Amino acid sequence: MKKQFIVIGLGRFGGTVARTLISLGYEVMAIDRDIRKVQDFSSIITHVFQADSTDEKVLKELGVSNMDHAIVAIGDDLQASILTSLILKDMGIKKVTAKATSEYHRRVLERIGADHIIQPERDTGIRVAHQITSNNTVDY
Ligand code: ATP
């Protein structure tokens, strides 16, 4: 059976992850507390819900614990990002990928047990530096 993903937060990052997973043929469920985001994605994501991901009861009702992999794509609201990641790990989700917006945010997510932490600007900066200094790049 194909892996099932839950994306929490449909901002630029989470929205792109969700769209790409769908284009790759995966089943995706998504949650955002903003109804406008839910409406924007309702034509491409079958199971998209307006909910606050820090509400454990709601996550259970939506069947989030059956998902194989969760992506916590909440950036600005540190408390919501941390609480959501904690609840998902406590629910027994095997893989939790979480987005961090700072080094401290990353460290807290690590302590909680997030399996994979993305710090988009930092990670991209490192990748770009490697790309532009790799041997394949023309020196100019
Ligand atoms: P991006 O850069 O990816 O656009 P961002 O880093 O600015 O996003 P936010 O805007 O904080 O991150 O959050 C991304 C999305 O997560 C938003 O659409 C927001 O409505 C949603 N979100 C934030 N908190 C919660 C929550 N507790 N429950 C569900 N969705 C949430």
Side-chain angles (χ1 to χ4, degrees), residues 54 76-84:
T54 62
D76 294 341
D77 189 339
L78 200 68
Q79 183 171 328
S81 157
I82 291 165
L83 264 180
T84 302

Side-chain angles (χ1 to χ4, degrees), residues 54-74:
T54 62
D55 188 335
E56 190 167 3
K57 193 166 156 264
V58 172
L59 294 190
K60 283 187 177 148
E61 280 167 8
L62 291 174
V64 169
S65 54
N66 300 324
M67 299 289 128
D68 301 295
H69 193 149
I71 298 94
V72 182
I74 301 171

Side-chain angles (χ1 to χ4, degrees), residues 8-14 31-34 37 51-54 73-77 80 99 101:
I8 297 179
L10 292 167
R12 285 167 303 170
F13 176 73
I31 290 175
D32 201 294
R33 67 179 170 194
D34 182 347
K37 292 284 167 62
D52 182 343
S53 59
T54 62
I74 301 171
D76 294 341
D77 189 339
K99 168 178 151 167
T101 51

Side-chain angles (χ1 to χ4, degrees), residues 93-108:
I93 301 216
K94 286 224 175 62
K95 283 243 170 195
V96 173
T97 295
K99 168 178 151 167
T101 51
S102 69
E103 198 52 39
Y104 284 111
H105 190 177
R106 162 190 284 275
R107 278 156 63 177
V108 175

